Amino acid sequence: MDRILVTEKIAAEGLDVLRRGGEVDVKLDLDKAALIGVIGQYDALVVRSATKVTADVIEAGTKLRVIGRAGTGVDNIHVETATRRGIIVVNAPASNNIAVAELTIGLLVGLARSIPQAHASLQSGKWERTKFSGWEVRGKTLGLIGLGRIGSEVAARARAMEMTIVAYDPVVSLDRAEQIGVELLTLDDLLSRSDVVSLHVPLVDGTRNLIDAARIAKMKKGAYIINASRGGVIDEAALLAALEAGQLGGAALDVFSQEPPPADAAITHHPKIITVPHIGASTAEAQISAGSEVAEGVVAALSGATPRYAVNAPFVAPEAWGVLQPYLSLGRQMGRLICQMIQSPVRSYDLELRGELADIDSHPIRLAVLQGLLEASSPERITPVNAPLIARERGVRLTERTDPDAESYSGLLVVRVQTADQAHDFKGTVLRGEPHIVQADGYFVDFVPQGALLFTYHRDRPGMIGRVGTLLGGADVNISGMYVGRLAPREQAMMVLTLDEPASPEVLAQVEAEEDIQRSICVVL
Ligand code: NAD
């Protein structure tokens, strides 16, 4: 049974999910030495933000297959080392969406009606009704910079308040923006048209100080700005100067360039700035959802499936998930089959994604095939995470193309193996949700690629099946299924036997010694 170490407090719902994947030990407050001391016993590690999962911790985790972060940022995990070692890092990026979106709306209304200032005034014994005359958000233009998970949720809520919503996001498509009722603009147009600008971008090199003096100057005079994303995306000095000059009417901040800000920081004491101490994700629901989301990712990774939110493995869009999942398993099994069946040196692998596969993001399938091709011949553990790296190191060439024609199948995965003198074609599909190989080394067959399989390359003759069956029976090897693919009657053929247990080299030698059998091979998947 897999063992899972949890080093920080996560929601009970998350622990329940984890227990479905293995034996769970919760050890809070381990220091680094203690963590290094125990990590070698565990297959999975689950942390929040306090545990520093450094390179040496990961190196000591010789059995580790997955590291889970209950939350979004993975700054406390040395992802590069995890990737090199084939360890999947999963997080819970969607768990905070609603919490942050609702806080953003709260900050928006707080700005419009000066709620915090009015509250403070009343608490100090004053009754200043005229001072706190505000403005309505209805009919105002909200400019969202970043239209990802949180930006989209803010848009949905702002629409209900009858705002006009515009957005700038270099990645989001026009179709997607249309779907959520948002007009996509250039950044300059967004700045000049918005009454309120709200930031929902990650902090990366391209977004550091995204809102600086020059961009603030492009905003409407007296406009407002909200930041519940990351501190560094606003130049705080420029923001303070713009508020002083009256260029901006106010700002609301959940995040700061330095957290916590110094006690006397101007940014937390300015009368036109509403501040809260990075509480965007701090709701009971978000904590539960972070725990369950990360636990589901950890359990999926332990079971060999591709988790939905992996930091160092391909992201699979939720709408593609159902279609993709069985093909990931097919791709991996095809890779494993091919590397055992083709024993001549390989020049290249050509991957064709046909039919329904031609229209979806195929990157995860490519990784699954690579994983399968590499794993049998690698001393290190191969996962979709480190497969591209190892493939590059070994000079494995895998080209890729798509074709809408899938013969009579809805989707077809084709791998052509080019050896020095020959091409070997393998084709697979998904039937009733189950992977099937429908062509093996050029022969038309139909079998489920799992367990022990015996292949013979032989000349089609009467009695051939019986002879092989007798040999296997004599060695107490049970046959569970049989398929024959032949080029023409009494010509070259392939027999595929699914076995309850692998055939020994001695039995294979006996099979190969039979007349008209050129080669026999036992593959274990
Ligand atoms: P996301 O990855 O779903 O969306 C981010 C979007 O920003 C993407 O669509 C991306 O294309 C876009 N983007 C990237 N660079 C851009 C640029 N230069 N200009 C415009 N758009 C750009 O992320 P998300 O889950 O929506 O999170 C958004 C932000 O909120 C992140 O910074 C995250 O760290 C932060 N966050 C804050 C809290 C909090 O407690 N306040 C909690 C969770 C997340």
Side-chain angles (χ1 to χ4, degrees):
M1 195 181 215
D2 287 328
R3 294 190 67 193
I4 302 167
L5 176 64
V6 178
T7 59
E8 287 173 72
K9 202 165 169 1
I10 68 162
E13 288 81 352
L15 291 176
D16 289 344
V17 175
L18 285 177
R19 288 193 187 99
R20 294 206 304 260
E23 186 188 315
V24 178
D25 287 342
V26 179
K27 295 188 179 187
L28 308 180
D29 307 322
L30 286 177
D31 65 14
K32 185 170 171 180
L35 179 59
I36 289 180
V38 296
I39 193 68
Q41 305 163 25
Y42 292 94
D43 304 276
L45 170 65
V46 179
V47 302
R48 283 175 61 177
S49 57
T51 309
K52 303 292 172 238
V53 190
T54 50
D56 44 352
V57 169
I58 298 172
E59 299 290 354
T62 46
K63 286 171 68 187
L64 272 184
R65 276 149 47 216
V66 53
I67 299 169
R69 153 81 166 102
T72 307
V74 287
D75 324 357
N76 56 322
I77 299 170
H78 203 276
V79 177
E80 208 180 300
T81 305
T83 304
R84 186 70 194 79
R85 300 210 43 238
I87 299 168
I88 299 183
V89 179
V90 297
N91 63 347
S95 55
N96 297 326
N97 298 354
I98 305 300
V100 182
E102 288 186 0
L103 179 72
T104 303
I105 297 296
L107 293 173
L108 169 69
V109 178
L111 279 175
R113 307 303 293 273
S114 304
I115 295 171
Q117 293 89 337
H119 170 78
S121 156
L122 185 55
Q123 271 202 332
S124 70
K126 297 181 194 146
W127 185 256
E128 302 178 293
R129 293 190 65 212
T130 45
K131 181 177 175 188
F132 297 113
S133 168
W135 45 274
E136 292 179 8
V137 300
R138 181 175 66 155
K140 301 293 186 302
T141 299
L142 174 64
L144 300 172
I145 302 182
L147 194 59
R149 287 177 291 257
I150 295 172
S152 313
E153 296 293 350
V154 173
R157 282 148 187 79
R159 214 177 38 232
M161 297 197 302
E162 301 179 58
M163 298 187 83
T164 300
I165 306 144
V166 297
Y168 166 66
D169 190 315
V171 174
V172 164
S173 70
L174 284 166
D175 284 353
R176 167 81 182 139
E178 215 167 90
Q179 201 186 2
I180 45 185
V182 172
E183 184 186 358
L184 278 184
L185 300 178
T186 63
L187 181 54
D188 282 356
D189 285 347
L190 177 142
L191 294 172
S192 64
R193 273 181 49 184
S194 302
D195 299 299
V196 182
V197 168
S198 188
L199 290 148
H200 301 285
V201 291
L203 179 61
V204 289
D205 285 345
T207 59
R208 195 172 294 281
N209 288 333
L210 181 69
I211 300 300
D212 58 5
R215 296 230 162 84
I216 292 175
K218 291 181 177 163
M219 290 174 68
K220 271 188 179 175
K221 193 166 169 54
Y224 291 77
I225 194 155
I226 301 173
N227 188 15
S229 63
R230 282 290 178 262
V233 302
I234 295 184
D235 176 342
E236 290 173 353
L239 173 66
L240 286 166
L243 288 166
E244 285 306 311
Q247 167 60 13
L248 290 182
L253 307 175
D254 179 40
V255 288
F256 304 88
S257 57
Q258 186 187 332
E259 291 186 6
D264 58 351
I267 202 88
T268 46
H269 290 87
H270 197 282
K272 290 185 177 169
I273 306 182
I274 297 175
T275 53
V276 285
H278 202 149
I279 56 170
S282 306
T283 63
E285 292 85 348
Q287 295 314 309
I288 292 173
S289 139
S292 318
E293 206 169 85
V294 77
E296 271 153 25
V298 166
V299 171
L302 285 177
S303 73
T306 306
R308 188 159 294 190
Y309 300 113
V311 171
N312 54 356
F315 167 75
V316 178
E319 58 276 15
W321 188 253
V323 177
L324 209 52
Q325 192 63 24
Y327 285 104
L328 295 181
S329 148
L330 172 69
R332 181 173 173 195
Q333 293 300 68
M334 278 177 85
R336 298 177 76 191
L337 175 73
I338 288 166
C339 81
Q340 293 179 66
M341 281 187 75
I342 304 299
Q343 287 168 348
S344 338
V346 173
R347 204 180 289 289
S348 65
Y349 300 94
D350 304 308
L351 182 65
E352 276 178 37
L353 298 130
R354 298 173 57 175
E356 63 181 347
L357 298 180
D359 299 325
I360 57 175
D361 176 10
S362 58
H363 190 55
I365 301 182
R366 175 192 172 85
L367 295 185
V369 173
L370 270 183
Q371 180 188 8
L373 286 172
L374 296 168
E375 61 191 332
S377 56
S378 300
E380 52 217 304
R381 185 173 353 107
I382 307 291
T383 70
V385 172
N386 62 355
L389 210 78
I390 308 285
R392 212 172 312 128
E393 283 175 7
R394 306 219 181 134
V396 173
R397 281 184 48 212
L398 179 69
T399 66
E400 197 175 314
R401 70 183 197 92
T402 57
D403 184 346
D405 174 23
E407 299 172 9
S408 55
Y409 303 100
S410 48
L412 198 60
L413 192 59
V414 182
V415 183
R416 169 164 291 182
V417 187
Q418 201 65 58
T419 55
D421 51 359
Q422 222 184 326
H424 305 262
D425 282 351
F426 291 80
K427 293 183 181 172
T429 190
V430 170
L431 299 172
R432 296 172 297 279
E434 189 177 50
H436 281 246
I437 302 294
V438 292
Q439 197 173 347
D441 203 1
Y443 294 91
F444 292 102
V445 288
D446 182 357
F447 63 89
V448 176
Q450 67 184 27
L453 299 155
L454 184 130
F455 295 83
T456 66
Y457 290 75
H458 64 270
R459 193 156 280 277
D460 182 34
R461 290 280 180 274
M464 195 59 89
I465 296 168
R467 275 152 55 199
V468 175
T470 306
L471 284 173
L472 290 173
D476 198 29
V477 177
N478 202 32
I479 300 170
S480 56
M482 196 276 299
Y483 313 86
V484 177
R486 53 187 192 176
L487 300 182
R490 300 197 181 233
E491 291 296 329
Q492 200 53 34
M494 171 183 279
M495 182 175 2
V496 187
L497 300 175
T498 58
L499 307 177
D500 285 346
E501 46 274 312
S504 66
E506 294 73 35
V507 179
L508 288 179
Q510 286 172 11
V511 171
E512 246 173 44
E514 286 290 319
E515 203 186 341
D516 291 320
I517 295 185
Q518 297 107 29
R519 183 181 171 215
S520 81
I521 174 166
C522 183
V523 163
V524 181
L525 297 177

